[in-house]
Amino acid sequence: MPSTEQRAFVDRLVAAANSGDARAWASFYSPGVTNHDRPTGREGMVRIFDALLAVFPDWKFDVSEVLGDGPDIVALMTMTGTHLGTSSTPIVGGAIVDLPPTGKSVRVQHIHRYHIVDGEITDHHAVRDDLAMMQQLGLVASTASGDDISRPPA
């Protein structure tokens, strides 16, 4: 798939995700999709997306970059949302299962890798900055000084 088609595919996928409709979002995934090397299927993706949208009803992605050539696409995104709900589904690595809503907004960097066959995602992997999300939700302490520890000292 040429890079212009890849970007268009990601833009359509993100528009579906940003619509708040879990079925529309999941429609981009094949019936036999694997998610993080687990056989999940499209209906499993609907359950995951329903849970994410229950926890963050205003979930939005903003795509900053799309990379790749051929059937593999890597998309760098920022997710924003407000923690207004709860879910018993183990989403976000299980870190927020049954967590009472904090009412706090988050802004989290994501990297997604999609493998596309015949116009559908057949394999998906993602890496998120879960530590930053947990800090923004007030569940994990930030550095005592508030300094950005990822930068070397001046």
Side-chain angles (χ1 to χ4, degrees):
M1 178 182 305
S3 60
T4 55
E5 289 179 37
Q6 288 176 324
R7 179 63 195 230
F9 181 89
V10 170
D11 287 344
R12 290 190 309 273
L13 170 66
V14 166
N18 290 350
S19 76
D21 181 341
R23 287 214 171 269
W25 191 355
S27 72
F28 285 80
Y29 294 78
S30 75
V33 66
T34 56
N35 187 43
H36 296 276
D37 293 325
R38 294 179 200 94
T40 306
R42 184 179 291 146
E43 288 306 309
M45 297 306 288
V46 170
R47 286 189 297 279
I48 291 167
F49 299 151
D50 272 337
L52 289 170
L53 292 166
V55 173
F56 298 100
D58 58 348
W59 178 286
K60 296 287 184 254
F61 278 129
D62 180 43
V63 179
S64 58
E65 194 169 0
V66 176
L67 307 167
D69 193 17
D72 293 303
I73 301 172
V74 175
L76 287 67
M77 306 181 196
T78 301
M79 170 270 188
T80 57
T82 310
H83 186 220
L84 298 174
T86 187
S87 175
S88 295
T89 302
I91 53 173
V92 189
I96 57 175
V97 170
D98 295 326
L99 177 71
T102 63
K104 295 183 178 182
S105 295
V106 296
R107 183 176 184 79
V108 182
Q109 299 299 309
H110 283 220
I111 302 171
H112 292 263
R113 201 268 305 150
Y114 307 102
H115 183 76
I116 313 296
V117 175
D118 296 329
E120 294 181 321
I121 300 166
T122 60
D123 185 56
H124 169 256
H125 288 266
V127 178
R128 305 168 306 270
D129 190 349
D130 289 347
L131 176 59
M133 182 182 69
M134 300 304 279
Q135 289 172 331
Q136 291 170 47
L137 292 174
L139 303 172
V140 174
S142 297
T143 60
S145 66
D147 292 337
D148 181 351
I149 62 172
S150 65
R151 294 190 192 143

